[in-house]
Amino acid sequence: MEKQERAALVRMEGINKAFPGVQALTDAQLTLHAGEVHVLIGENGAGKSTLMKILCGSYTADSGNIYLEGNPIRIHSPHSARQHGIVMIHQELLMAENVTVAENIFMGREPMRALGMVDRKRMEREADEILNGLLQANVSVDVPVQALSVARKQMVEIAKAISTHARVIVMDEPTSSLGESEIKTLFSQIRQLKEQGTCIVYISHRMEEIFEIGDRVTVMRDGCFVRTCAVREIDMERLIQLMVGRELGEQYPARTVRSSETVALEVSHLNQGQELFDLNLKVHQGEILGIFGLVGAKRTEMAKAIFGASHRDGGEIKVMGERVQIQTTKDAIRHGIALIPEDRKLEGLVEIMGVGDNTVLPILKRLQSGPFFNRRKAAAAAAQYAERLSVKTPDLRRMVRSLSGGNQQKVVIAKWLASEARVIIFDEPTRGIDVGAKSEIYRIMNQLLEQGVGIVMISSEMPELLGISDRIMVMKEGRFTAEFSKGEATQEEILKCAM
């Protein structure tokens, strides 16, 4: 152990980080060595990305220490991290699409000539040496980045990291948008970097990749460090147990109604390009159908296709046994389908509008008196649903952006309750809200079931799905891979099917 500590390139100790209503990291730790691929794994929400964003300067830890070769360092920005040789390649690539590959690689660090002019020839030569020499990526350095495939864009990001003389490169889900041949190329480049003494921190949900590319693996759970070990000393079964090793609590309210035989929503042979493949599902009145999947599973894409928010290539949708044509979100709303989106701020709310105005958005037609909008009627409807959901706001005119995350989510739900939807798709409804607000959301869902609503619940939290779902379907890369009844589902089996 002492030998490992002395050889450590980076050591993080006692890292704590809280966001409003959420303790993201508690006494987290991580030790990295030069010339290794260190895989960081855990369920969605385990704290992996938060810990790495602290290491790479996007977040600042509330407490804890970071050491570089045994010396304490302070990282307060991505620029500060780069100065210490630490960079992160995010899952969503952050690039200037309309400028060249070389300009992206050296952005903000362009080699200069006399009189403050950029030395373009030198910049393109050095970019070419890294991309096509060291990485053998076969990328033209003088073309705009927007002309490249996702895989080649990723190569550009790796080249950018190398150009900063990075000693630690963090890769967050780097293969989520890559095909098999592209993954092989990426792994080849990772091995080259390792041989040169670079440490790669590799975040992935794909278990098979851990054993193909990893040297050591660290498991995180609920914001805490669980274990670090050599990949060769552990198997997939044990890793899954370490990732999900917690008991379900008593935080889920008892169900007061059983599902009926009536099918509220039936989807048959739903397809969408290279995203969704022959999806079939049924949800009954009074039933919660849970949908689980890891990053890249295409759960949200499925929800949007059903709701008419994105184009689908084929498939049949029935609501209450009747075949319906859904080409737009208006069609879905008219037929009684609602979607509570994953990104409530971007897609679920108009943040600069008041609580009341947001609540009545789907029912504006019903609130007209002749050609005029009946404001008194709208205010009464908004007040009714705000009271029913216990939305905490001093005034219905208060802008919704001023509310807590939990209350914002209640406003999104109130909006669709007002529409009298018969099927509601909840996409990550409890993400980013505190435990008390989660309980309120579960209570509201129970009330909806009592009214005969069918619920599709998409969640990355397995304990949540196991706690409230009647059935759970598992998605992987746009396909359903398994279905479990409430009694037969276990966290280990679900995770195996998702991976």
Side-chain angles (χ1 to χ4, degrees):
M1 184 68 179
E2 288 181 8
K3 183 179 179 182
Q4 282 190 346
E5 291 297 330
R6 284 197 300 271
L9 175 60
V10 171
R11 200 166 76 250
M12 304 179 77
E13 292 183 348
I15 305 296
N16 294 282
K17 180 66 178 177
F19 299 102
V22 178
Q23 184 67 37
L25 295 173
T26 305
D27 201 28
Q29 59 177 285
L30 184 68
T31 300
L32 305 175
H33 298 161
E36 75 166 346
V37 177
H38 195 117
V39 184
L40 188 58
I41 66 169
E43 293 182 79
N44 295 352
K48 309 179 298 293
S49 293
T50 301
L51 185 65
M52 289 301 93
K53 285 178 179 178
I54 288 171
L55 177 62
C56 298
S58 297
Y59 294 156
T60 302
D62 298 334
S63 59
N65 299 297
I66 302 176
Y67 301 89
L68 180 63
E69 294 184 319
N71 301 308
I73 59 172
R74 292 185 63 81
I75 298 175
H76 47 77
S77 68
H79 177 70
S80 166
R82 282 194 298 272
Q83 288 180 318
H84 291 296
I86 303 167
V87 297
M88 184 169 184
I89 300 174
H90 295 268
Q91 184 181 354
E92 299 297 330
L93 300 176
L94 308 174
M95 312 184 79
E97 295 276 332
N98 59 340
V99 303
T100 69
V101 167
E103 288 169 325
N104 265 276
I105 291 173
F106 287 99
M107 190 167 290
R109 303 175 293 108
E110 297 87 348
M112 307 300 288
R113 295 185 298 174
L115 303 176
M117 301 290 287
V118 174
D119 190 340
R120 296 193 66 84
K121 285 188 177 179
R122 179 185 162 194
M123 182 172 70
E124 290 182 357
R125 183 181 69 251
E126 292 183 5
D128 187 73
E129 286 172 358
I130 297 170
L131 266 173
N132 301 314
L134 181 63
L135 295 178
Q136 300 178 355
N138 191 27
V139 175
S140 299
V141 298
D142 57 351
V143 301
V145 161
Q146 63 191 7
L148 303 182
S149 66
V150 173
R152 293 187 186 279
K153 287 178 182 178
Q154 206 160 54
M155 299 308 127
V156 174
E157 286 287 85
I158 294 171
K160 184 192 296 185
I162 293 171
S163 74
T164 66
H165 307 291
R167 303 172 71 185
V168 177
I169 301 177
V170 179
M171 298 184 179
D172 190 358
E173 297 286 353
T175 61
S176 61
S177 301
L178 302 185
E180 288 300 319
S181 63
E182 295 164 335
I183 291 172
K184 286 180 181 177
T185 302
L186 175 65
F187 283 1
S188 173
Q189 292 168 346
I190 287 174
R191 292 185 182 104
Q192 288 182 48
L193 292 170
K194 186 175 89 166
E195 288 170 7
Q196 294 155 24
T198 306
C199 173
I200 307 294
V201 182
Y202 192 93
I203 302 174
S204 180
H205 283 302
R206 296 181 174 180
M207 298 294 283
E208 64 275 12
E209 295 180 356
I210 297 170
F211 298 94
E212 182 173 353
I213 198 69
D215 297 303
R216 290 194 304 145
V217 57
T218 290
V219 182
M220 294 187 69
R221 186 172 68 234
D222 297 335
C224 302
F225 168 83
V226 177
R227 182 181 171 186
T228 295
C229 66
V231 170
R232 66 177 180 273
E233 295 173 356
I234 198 164
D235 60 25
M236 191 180 296
E237 297 282 337
R238 180 62 180 142
L239 274 179
I240 291 174
Q241 288 173 4
L242 291 171
M243 287 171 64
V244 303
R246 59 174 180 251
E247 296 297 323
L248 286 175
E250 297 299 321
Q251 57 189 344
Y252 307 106
R255 291 284 288 277
T256 55
V257 65
R258 290 185 180 276
S259 60
S260 77
E261 294 297 317
T262 304
V263 177
L265 172 70
E266 181 175 359
V267 177
S268 305
H269 307 296
L270 176 65
N271 290 279
Q272 184 186 78
Q274 296 303 305
E275 302 283 302
L276 304 172
F277 305 94
D278 199 38
L279 298 181
N280 299 277
L281 66 83
K282 290 181 182 180
V283 59
H284 296 80
Q285 282 190 302
E287 178 187 38
I288 297 179
L289 173 64
I291 306 288
F292 181 80
L294 300 171
V295 173
K298 308 299 182 185
R299 301 166 306 163
T300 294
E301 287 80 355
M302 176 193 70
K304 288 183 175 180
I306 294 171
F307 187 60
S310 65
H311 170 74
R312 53 189 170 86
D313 297 329
E316 182 179 272
I317 297 175
K318 292 181 179 179
V319 177
M320 304 301 291
E322 179 185 343
R323 183 176 180 178
V324 296
Q325 293 295 328
I326 296 177
Q327 303 297 331
T328 67
T329 55
K330 283 184 179 179
D331 295 336
I333 294 167
R334 187 171 69 254
H335 291 298
I337 301 176
L339 171 62
I340 294 169
E342 178 180 12
D343 190 334
R344 60 177 169 266
K345 291 185 177 181
L346 183 64
E347 299 177 323
L349 297 166
V350 183
E351 287 196 282
I352 59 171
M353 284 173 57
V355 172
D357 288 341
N358 268 278
T359 303
V360 298
L361 274 175
I363 57 168
L364 293 179
K365 269 194 172 180
R366 285 185 3 217
L367 297 173
Q368 282 184 299
S369 296
F372 302 106
F373 180 67
N374 190 326
R375 282 222 152 263
R376 184 176 296 177
K377 196 174 176 182
Q384 173 191 345
Y385 287 102
E387 180 180 357
R388 181 173 161 189
L389 271 66
S390 305
V391 177
K392 293 182 175 63
T393 177
D395 190 319
L396 290 177
R397 291 171 295 181
R398 176 67 62 94
M399 279 197 288
V400 78
R401 69 182 179 191
S402 69
L403 304 185
S404 68
N407 280 293
Q408 287 180 351
Q409 189 69 304
K410 287 182 187 178
V411 174
V412 180
I413 297 172
K415 180 172 78 172
W416 293 115
L417 288 186
S419 76
E420 299 177 353
R422 292 175 288 180
V423 176
I424 302 182
I425 304 169
F426 286 79
D427 191 356
E428 299 285 4
T430 63
R431 175 172 288 173
I433 63 178
D434 61 39
V435 174
K438 284 184 179 183
S439 254
E440 283 289 293
I441 301 299
Y442 302 145
R443 178 185 62 78
I444 292 164
M445 291 173 82
N446 264 357
Q447 290 179 358
L448 291 168
L449 297 176
E450 289 172 2
Q451 296 162 28
V453 173
I455 293 176
V456 178
M457 167 79 161
I458 298 171
S459 177
S460 301
E461 296 186 30
M462 275 194 283
E464 176 175 75
L465 284 179
L466 289 166
I468 67 172
S469 302
D470 297 290
R471 289 181 295 125
I472 296 174
M473 297 183 74
V474 183
M475 285 189 76
K476 178 185 176 184
E477 297 173 353
R479 294 176 170 86
F480 285 125
T481 58
E483 179 177 340
F484 298 93
S485 65
K486 191 176 184 70
E488 66 183 7
T490 67
Q491 297 185 66
E492 288 82 2
E493 286 299 320
I494 290 171
L495 197 57
K496 280 180 189 175
C497 295
M499 288 181 164

